[in-house]
Amino acid sequence: MITKIIQEENVIAVSKLISDAGKIIIVSHKRPDGDAIGSSLGLYHFLKSQGKEVSVILPDAIPGYMYALPSADTIVFYDNQKTKAQELIDKCDLIFCLDFNALDRIGNLSAPVNDSKAKKVLMDHHLHHDNFCDIIISHPEMSSTCELVFRLISRMGYYDAMPLESAQCICAGMMTDTGGLSYNANRPDVYTIMGELLKKGVDKDALYRKIFNNYSENRMRLMGYMLYEKMKIYPEYHTAVLTLSYKEMLRFNYQPGDSEGFVNMPLSIDHVFCSIFIKEEKECMKLSFRSQGDFDVNKMANELFGGGGHKNASGAENKGTMEETLKIIEEALPIYI
């Protein structure tokens, strides 16, 4: 049996909102990862199976390998489809906000979502959520938002009615947000849920290959370059730092998602239990933090850059240059580690 995490009153309330709604929108965060995409499409397929008119709207593009998920090609991207996205939001009765804890996490989508008169439901597993939704289902102890979507569908009594496409998307999101069940997956419920997804007909091995072993030649060459040229080890602090500039991305014909998972790689090195990846973007430096064991990178990301996430996996942004960002980290290592 799966433990009952979501409060019964929330299950009943969300079930009623779905029943009353005709047109539903699902939104998630900018630079969407596997959990954002998987939870959105997983819920999308379930709601479609219930006869609802549903659309997924994301702030920007998804990684190419995530098009392996059913109906990924139906996603509306706000950055280049603003008119269509706004029309869908204007006409909807219900908005699901998945895998983010504050409106600024959805970039330019934040104003249309905030201004909408539709009822809103937040489902998320990050710390410290803002109160911008009518119903909040927030459980940072969960492996992923996909796990919460599965739990909600099941608690509403629709496990048997869950379509295979929904199960595939949920499985994909759970795998990507746990590194193939290699971290943040130490609870028995995670494996019970994976078992239930397999019963729905999910081919986990094929799905894993499509997502984790479906990269371009450029991505592989970038990976080798990063590990050989751009990884700096701080042995006295058991930390590795990777940096990737915009110029280097152009050199390797970088596509969205090409650096996915890079931050995890140094953790395979003996005595490295903290890894930080700094990537230059147009408006800021994007930081990813990963750790093993008891080291809390969420605290580090939050106190240094105002970021956050989870104990062993967090993110942040910094408006400074690459050099300035790296200097902040280097000066902080003796304090935090």
Side-chain angles (χ1 to χ4, degrees):
M1 290 291 292
I2 301 170
T3 55
K4 292 184 177 181
I5 298 296
I6 304 174
Q7 293 180 345
E8 183 66 19
E9 62 188 55
N10 283 338
V11 174
I12 294 171
V14 173
S15 183
K16 186 177 188 309
L17 286 178
I18 292 173
S19 178
D20 292 344
K23 297 181 179 180
I24 302 174
I25 296 298
I26 301 168
V27 300
S28 192
H29 58 77
K30 56 187 177 181
R31 291 182 290 272
D33 57 8
D35 191 27
I37 302 161
S39 59
S40 296
L41 289 174
L43 183 60
Y44 166 88
H45 282 290
F46 165 70
L47 293 171
K48 291 281 283 187
S49 74
Q50 298 301 302
K52 302 299 178 180
E53 188 174 333
V54 193
S55 297
V56 175
I57 303 175
L58 298 179
D60 45 23
I62 66 174
Y65 57 86
M66 291 307 294
Y67 281 98
L69 297 186
S71 297
D73 58 351
T74 69
I75 296 172
V76 176
F77 300 109
Y78 187 80
D79 274 1
N80 55 20
Q81 296 173 284
K82 288 184 175 65
T83 301
K84 182 178 181 179
Q86 188 64 62
E87 289 176 354
L88 290 169
I89 294 172
D90 288 343
K91 295 177 181 178
C92 76
D93 310 301
L94 176 61
I95 300 177
F96 278 94
C97 300
L98 303 185
D99 200 40
F100 64 96
N101 57 2
L103 280 171
D104 60 6
R105 293 284 288 114
I106 58 174
N108 293 330
L109 253 178
S110 60
V113 169
N114 186 56
D115 293 342
S116 172
K117 302 303 181 184
K119 292 290 186 180
K120 301 179 185 73
V121 176
L122 171 71
M123 297 184 67
D124 182 46
H125 72 134
H126 296 92
L127 296 167
H128 313 307
H129 64 80
D130 290 347
N131 295 314
F132 59 94
C133 289
D134 300 279
I135 298 174
I136 294 176
I137 300 174
S138 176
H139 293 275
E141 72 275 19
M142 295 293 99
S143 68
S144 56
T145 299
C146 276
E147 180 179 342
L148 282 172
V149 170
F150 177 89
R151 287 175 176 276
L152 177 66
I153 293 171
S154 299
R155 287 284 301 282
M156 290 190 300
Y158 290 107
Y159 169 79
D160 290 338
M162 182 192 302
L164 172 59
E165 293 85 355
S166 184
Q168 289 171 324
C169 295
I170 291 170
C171 181
M174 288 183 67
M175 284 196 297
T176 55
D177 233 33
T178 61
L181 302 179
S182 65
Y183 53 81
N184 199 27
N186 209 29
R187 293 177 297 103
D189 275 5
V190 172
Y191 301 92
T192 302
I193 291 171
M194 291 298 291
E196 294 301 317
L197 294 171
L198 297 183
K199 290 178 184 178
K200 299 297 294 185
V202 174
D203 186 337
K204 180 194 70 67
D205 294 349
L207 195 58
Y208 184 96
R209 288 193 299 271
K210 289 178 181 179
I211 294 174
F212 288 93
N213 299 327
N214 190 25
Y215 295 111
S216 67
E217 178 185 343
N218 284 328
R219 195 261 185 186
M220 293 297 289
R221 294 189 182 280
L222 173 61
M223 184 193 307
Y225 171 76
M226 290 290 294
L227 293 175
Y228 187 74
E229 297 283 352
K230 302 307 301 285
M231 179 175 66
K232 185 174 182 180
I233 305 294
Y234 302 81
E236 66 272 36
Y237 304 120
H238 306 284
T239 295
V241 177
L242 297 163
T243 59
L244 179 61
S245 70
Y246 188 69
K247 182 178 179 180
E248 289 165 330
M249 285 189 274
L250 291 176
R251 174 183 170 186
F252 289 92
N253 191 28
Y254 184 92
Q255 300 298 313
D258 275 356
S259 59
E260 185 73 25
F262 282 8
V263 68
N264 298 312
M265 293 177 182
L267 296 177
S268 299
I269 301 172
D270 190 25
H271 299 305
V272 170
F273 57 77
C274 176
S275 176
I276 303 169
F277 177 38
I278 312 171
K279 183 176 69 171
E280 182 180 6
E281 300 198 346
K282 290 183 179 180
E283 298 178 352
C284 66
M285 298 297 136
K286 175 73 175 178
L287 296 99
S288 298
F289 297 77
R290 296 293 185 272
S291 67
Q292 300 182 95
D294 293 330
F295 182 68
D296 188 350
V297 288
N298 181 68
K299 179 180 179 183
M300 189 177 188
N302 179 260
E303 293 182 355
L304 292 181
F305 302 104
H310 310 283
K311 178 180 178 181
N312 297 121
S314 288
E317 295 179 353
N318 186 46
K319 295 294 185 181
T321 65
M322 179 72 75
E323 292 72 20
E324 291 168 344
T325 304
L326 185 59
K327 183 179 179 181
I328 291 172
I329 291 172
E330 290 179 332
E331 291 178 348
L333 288 178
I335 300 171
Y336 285 91
I337 303 178

